[in-house]
Amino acid sequence: MNTASNTPRVAPWTAWFAHAVIGFMVVPTLLVVPISFNGDQYLRFPPRDFSLRWYEDFWSNEQWLHSAWISLVTALAVMAIATTLGTLAALALHRMTGASKKILLGLMMSPLMVPTVVLALALYFFFARLQMVGTWTAVVLGQVILAIPFTVLNVHASLQGYPATLERAASSLGAGPATTFFRITVPIIRPGILSGALFAFMVSFDEFIIALFLAGPGETTLPVRMWQTMQLYISPTIAAVSSMITGITIAIFVASHALRRRANRRRFAERQPGTSRLASTRGHTLAPASGRWTENRKLMSTEV
Amino acid sequence: MLRKSSWLMAPCLAYMLVMYVTPALIMLYSPFQNGVGSGIASLGEALVEPSYQRVMMTTFRTALVVTVVAVLLGYPTAYYLSRLPSEKVGKYMLLIMFPLWTSLLVRTYAWIALLQDAGVINSTLMSTNLISNPVRLLYNSGSVAIGMVQILLPYAIVTMYSVMVGIKPRLSQTAQVLGASPVRAFWHVFFPLSLPGLSAACLLLFIMGLGFFVTPALLGGRRDMMVGTLIQQQVVLLGDWNSASLLSIMLLAATIILLFVYSRFARLENLVPASS
C-alpha cells in the first residue's frame, strides 16, 4: 500500500479481499491445465503421473476433430457476415442523429440483453417453419445475431471524432465514392473492424445455446460436443480440450492486447511534429484512442 | 453525404428484421394462434401451474442470491481497484477480463473437476485424512451459486468500477481533514456517490441471472432447475412448443420490465463501458 503519497490509502483488508476475489475468478479455470496432464482415469489433484493420453485421445478421435473443424468454420462464417453487416451499419449510424439513431442502436444492441435461451427458441420456431433446423446454415445465421452488437459497437467507437470533412475533401479532389471509402474511411476504422471481427469470432466459437437448439448431429460444434460428453461422464479428455481452448484464448488475448498497444503507440508517435507526413497519409491521428478497455465489450456477451 | 449514407444501414437492418424480429414475433404469437382468448387463458394457466411456479421461484431466488453475493464480493474489489494509481489498474483489469474471454463450458467444467466426489477438493481433503468420505459439493444450489457468481463477478466489478473511478480521492481526504474517521468518511462521502454503480450492477446481474442456462444445468441438481433449462427441455426432449413459448414470454417479460427500470436511472449504453 506504500504507493505514491498522493494516492489515497485503503485499508489493508480491502487489498487482501480484492486479491482473493480476483483469484477466485481466475484460478479455478486454470486448474484444468494440470488436471489435463493427469495419467489417471480420475481427476486427481495434484496429478500423480504426467501423461499426454487425454491429448492423444482428442487428436485421435474423429468426432472431436470434426467438432473442432465445424466450430472453426462456423466462427469464420459468422465473423465474415457479422463484420460486413456491422461495419456498414456503424457507418450509417455514425451519420444519424436523434430518435432514429437511438431506436436502431437499441435494436442492434438488444440481442445482448435478451436471454439467449429465448432467442434460440425463437430461431428454432423460425427455422422449423423453413425446414432448416439441424442445418449448419441455421447455426451460422443465428449466431450472427449475437455477433452483430460487437461489430457495430467496435466500428462505431472507432468512428468517434471522425471528421466528415475529410470525405468531402477527398471527393472535391476528384475521388469517387469507392476510392474515398477504401482510401480514407477504411484506414481510419480498421482497428475497430479488426477488433469487432475478433469479437465476432470469439462469440461464435464460444456460442453454445443457439448451436444446441439448431445444430444437427453432423454439425456438432465444440461446445455442444463438450456439453454432450459432460452429460454422460466427466471425461478427462474435456480437460485436455479445455486446456487447449484456454491456451488459444490467452494467445489471442495477449496478441490483441499487444496489437492495440502498438497501435496506440504509433498513434501517439504520429502526434509528434516530425512525423506529420506519415500521419497525413495514413490518417491514423484522426482515429480516437479507441479506449483502454476494448476487452470490456466482451462484457456484453450474456450467454450464460 | 449525409443523406446518401443511410442505405448502408439497409443490409444489417434487413438481416435483423428477418432473422431476429420475425422469429421473436412468431414465438410471441404462437400461443395466440388459436385466438387471443385461448392464448391469454393458457398464459394464465402457465402462471398458476405448480411445477412452473416452482421453477420460476427457483429462478428468481437463485438470481437474487447470486446478485447479492457477487455485489458483496465485487464492491470492495472495485473499490480497491478504483483507488489504485491508473498505471497499476491495467494488469488487474486483464485478470478480471480473463474469465470473460475463456469459454463458458470450460469454466463450468473446471468447477465440476474441482467439486465432484472424486474431484480436486475432495481428493485433496481425503489424501490429507481430513475427511474419510467425499463431501457432496456438486449438484446442489450451492454449486450453482458458486459457478454463477464467478461468471457474474467481472460484470459487477466493471460496472461499479466505472462509477467509482470518477469519485475523486480528494473528497474522502477532505472529510478526514475536517475530522471524520476513515470509516465515517467512507460511509458518508464515498458510499453515497458510488450508489449509481451499485444499483446498476444489481439490476444488470439480476437480469443476467434470470437467463442462465449452462451453469444450473451442469452444476445443479434436479431441484435447482431454472427456467432456461426448462425451456430447453420442453422443446428438445418433450417437443412441447407451446409451454416453451409461454415460459419464454414470462422470462422475456421479466427481463423487459427490469430493463425498463434500469433505463430509468442508468443509460442502457452504460452497460458497455467501452463506448464512453
Side-chain angles (χ1 to χ4, degrees), chain A residues 19 43 110 141 298-299 304, chain B residues 15 20 92 100 116 155 213:
Chain A
H19 284 92
L43 307 160
S110 62
L141 293 177
K298 174 74 180 178
L299 271 178
V304 277
Chain B
Y15 192 93
Y20 178 62
Y92 285 106
L100 296 174
Q116 68 169 328
Y155 301 91
F213 173 73

Side-chain angles (χ1 to χ4, degrees), chain A residues 19 25 43 45 95 110-111 121 123 128 141 144 202 206 223 235 249 253 293 296-301 304, chain B residues 5 15 19-20 73 92-93 97 100-101 103 105 109 116 118 120 150 155 212-214 235 241 248 271 274:
Chain A
H19 284 92
M25 287 159 65
L43 307 160
F45 190 84
R95 280 152 231 222
S110 62
L121 183 74
L123 288 166
L141 293 177
V144 166
M202 298 285 286
D206 255 13
S235 154
T249 311
F253 192 68
W293 308 121
N296 289 13
R297 277 166 215 149
K298 174 74 180 178
L299 271 178
M300 297 307 302
S301 170
V304 277
Chain B
S5 64
Y15 192 93
M19 292 289 160
Y20 178 62
L73 293 177
Y92 285 106
M93 277 297 168
M97 292 305 147
L100 296 174
W101 277 75
S103 159
L105 277 150
Y109 174 78
Q116 68 169 328
V120 173
Q150 193 215 20
Y155 301 91
F212 263 64
F213 173 73
V214 176
V235 176
W241 291 21
S248 293
L271 291 176

Side-chain angles (χ1 to χ4, degrees), chain A residues 115-128 133 209-210 213-214, chain B residues 23-24 26-28 30 231-232 234-236 240-249:
Chain A
T116 318
V117 182
V118 175
L119 178 60
L121 183 74
L123 288 166
Y124 185 86
F125 283 13
F126 178 70
F127 284 120
V133 169
I209 301 174
I210 289 179
F213 273 70
L214 298 180
Chain B
I26 290 177
M27 188 198 72
L28 292 175
S30 66
I231 292 172
Q232 189 251 344
Q234 296 285 347
V235 176
V236 178
D240 187 349
W241 291 21
N242 210 37
S243 308
S245 63
L246 288 173
L247 287 163
S248 293
I249 289 170

Side-chain angles (χ1 to χ4, degrees), chain A residues 67-272:
Chain A
S67 293
W69 172 247
I70 292 285
S71 275
L72 183 70
V73 176
T74 309
L76 287 175
V78 170
M79 181 176 86
I81 300 173
T83 309
T84 312
L85 293 175
T87 304
L88 295 178
L91 285 169
L93 275 175
H94 179 62
R95 280 152 231 222
M96 288 181 178
T97 45
S100 60
K101 176 174 181 165
K102 239 180 152 171
I103 292 167
L104 285 170
L105 198 61
L107 176 70
M108 306 277 158
M109 295 304 120
S110 62
L112 299 172
M113 292 321 289
V114 174
T116 318
V117 182
V118 175
L119 178 60
L121 183 74
L123 288 166
Y124 185 86
F125 283 13
F126 178 70
F127 284 120
R129 295 193 173 208
L130 303 173
Q131 314 268 314
M132 279 172 71
V133 169
T135 61
W136 180 76
T137 319
V139 177
V140 172
L141 293 177
Q143 290 186 343
V144 166
I145 304 278
L146 287 179
I148 280 178
F150 294 93
T151 55
V152 171
L153 270 180
N154 276 284
V155 179
H156 192 252
S158 72
L159 277 167
Q160 300 300 314
Y162 167 67
T165 44
L166 266 189
E167 289 185 353
R168 235 172 290 149
S171 58
S172 76
L173 291 171
T179 317
T180 312
F181 180 74
F182 286 107
R183 301 287 296 272
I184 307 288
T185 314
V186 169
I188 291 175
I189 61 175
R190 191 185 291 135
I193 296 177
L194 286 179
S195 57
L198 186 67
F199 279 109
F201 182 90
M202 298 285 286
V203 165
S204 164
F205 198 77
D206 255 13
E207 207 290 325
F208 165 66
I209 301 174
I210 289 179
L212 181 72
F213 273 70
L214 298 180
E219 291 82 28
T220 315
T221 61
L222 210 46
V224 177
R225 169 86 55 207
M226 289 174 76
W227 158 273
Q228 287 170 350
T229 313
M230 271 191 252
Q231 302 249 301
L232 297 176
Y233 82 118
I234 305 304
S235 154
T237 310
I238 303 176
V241 179
S242 298
S243 302
M244 286 188 278
I245 295 178
T246 308
I248 295 168
T249 311
I250 293 177
I252 294 176
F253 192 68
V254 169
S256 72
H257 194 67
L259 270 178
R260 196 169 49 251
R261 285 247 306 254
R262 210 182 60 182
N264 281 344
R265 230 188 355 255
R266 198 169 54 195
R267 206 174 283 140
F268 180 73
E270 283 161 7
R271 289 215 186 90
Q272 309 305 311

